[in-house]
Amino acid sequence: MKMTWGLCLLCLAGGLRAVHAGPVRKTGKMADKAVPQEEVNVLMFGVIQFSESLNYIYETTEAKIAKISQTLRSHEGTLQRLGRQTEQAAEVEKQIKEVIQLLQAQMAKQQAQTKTTKDWLASMEQEVVELKTKVKKLEMYLNTNISIKELQERAKEQSNILQGLQHLTQLQKENVESQNEQLSKLQTMSETMT
């Protein structure tokens, strides 16, 4: 751009000199006299000042455009990073939803198992009560109809059965408590994730 303005100034200066250096007609009138050198110098100074102003405007505009381009590139990079972060956040959210669904399914399964175990324990307890009632009836029958030795053997047998049932009942209760603890932990994890 500087070179273009320099060429324009040279052409203008050359043209002014050619006008100044050309033959002057002598008509005897004041209006036909050549332009004084001083006016040419002033005109040249004005043209130079004008070209320098245009050059300064061009340079500052070019610098501003470069700065704007750099800012735009920086914003494009930021937008791309934000886009990637948004995609990653969506993927994480999807994974969290999948984990929550899995936990809910596991909790539903645990609750069903716990209910089944509780029902089975209630049934077992009922059977133990019924068995105790039968043992008492049997004891009453034995007291009246069977010898002491037979009574002792049957009592021992019934006692072993009762101990086995009590042990089994205790194991089932521990199993239910363990499942309840696991269910509670899963519910806590689900609540913290949501």
Side-chain angles (χ1 to χ4, degrees):
M1 188 69 180
K2 285 184 180 179
M3 184 180 251
T4 305
W5 282 109
L7 287 174
C8 288
L9 287 175
L10 284 175
C11 290
L12 184 61
L16 288 174
R17 284 196 182 123
V19 168
H20 182 66
V24 179
R25 292 186 207 164
K26 295 185 180 180
T27 58
K29 296 180 182 178
M30 291 297 287
D32 292 337
K33 286 186 178 178
V35 179
Q37 181 66 35
E38 237 177 73
E39 290 180 12
V40 172
N41 289 344
V42 169
L43 183 61
M44 285 296 293
F45 180 75
V47 169
I48 290 169
Q49 290 292 323
F50 179 69
S51 72
E52 286 178 354
S53 296
L54 285 177
N55 189 38
Y56 173 75
I57 290 170
Y58 168 76
E59 287 176 352
T60 55
T61 304
E62 189 177 29
K64 287 177 183 176
I65 289 172
K67 189 173 181 181
I68 289 169
S69 297
Q70 183 180 1
T71 304
L72 283 174
R73 283 193 298 273
S74 172
H75 287 323
E76 284 175 2
T78 303
L79 285 173
Q80 287 176 354
R81 281 195 303 276
L82 285 173
R84 286 193 298 272
Q85 289 173 356
T86 302
E87 289 174 2
Q88 290 172 354
E91 182 62 28
V92 168
E93 184 180 0
K94 180 183 172 187
Q95 291 174 357
I96 288 172
K97 284 180 180 177
E98 289 174 357
V99 169
I100 288 172
Q101 288 174 353
L102 181 63
L103 285 173
Q104 287 173 341
Q106 288 178 349
M107 285 169 57
K109 186 178 178 183
Q110 286 290 332
Q111 286 173 345
Q113 288 178 349
T114 301
K115 185 180 182 306
T116 303
T117 305
K118 283 181 179 178
D119 291 344
W120 185 79
L121 279 175
S123 173
M124 287 296 294
E125 286 174 356
Q126 181 64 31
E127 286 181 15
V128 167
V129 169
E130 290 174 2
L131 186 58
K132 284 181 179 178
T133 305
K134 287 179 182 178
V135 167
K136 283 182 181 179
K137 286 180 181 178
L138 183 59
E139 285 175 352
M140 289 172 62
Y141 172 77
L142 291 175
N143 284 336
T144 57
N145 297 320
I146 301 176
S147 68
I148 295 174
K149 186 177 179 182
E150 289 175 351
L151 183 61
Q152 287 174 343
E153 287 175 1
R154 287 187 184 180
K156 186 177 179 182
E157 195 175 299
Q158 294 298 326
S159 176
N160 289 338
I161 292 172
L162 281 173
Q163 285 178 356
L165 285 173
Q166 287 174 345
H167 180 68
L168 183 59
T169 304
Q170 182 63 32
L171 287 176
Q172 289 302 322
K173 284 183 180 178
E174 289 173 1
N175 189 19
V176 167
E177 289 173 0
S178 173
Q179 287 180 353
N180 284 337
E181 282 182 21
Q182 289 178 357
L183 183 60
S184 177
K185 286 179 184 176
L186 286 173
Q187 286 174 338
T188 305
M189 285 173 60
S190 175
E191 288 171 2
T192 54
M193 292 186 79
T194 55

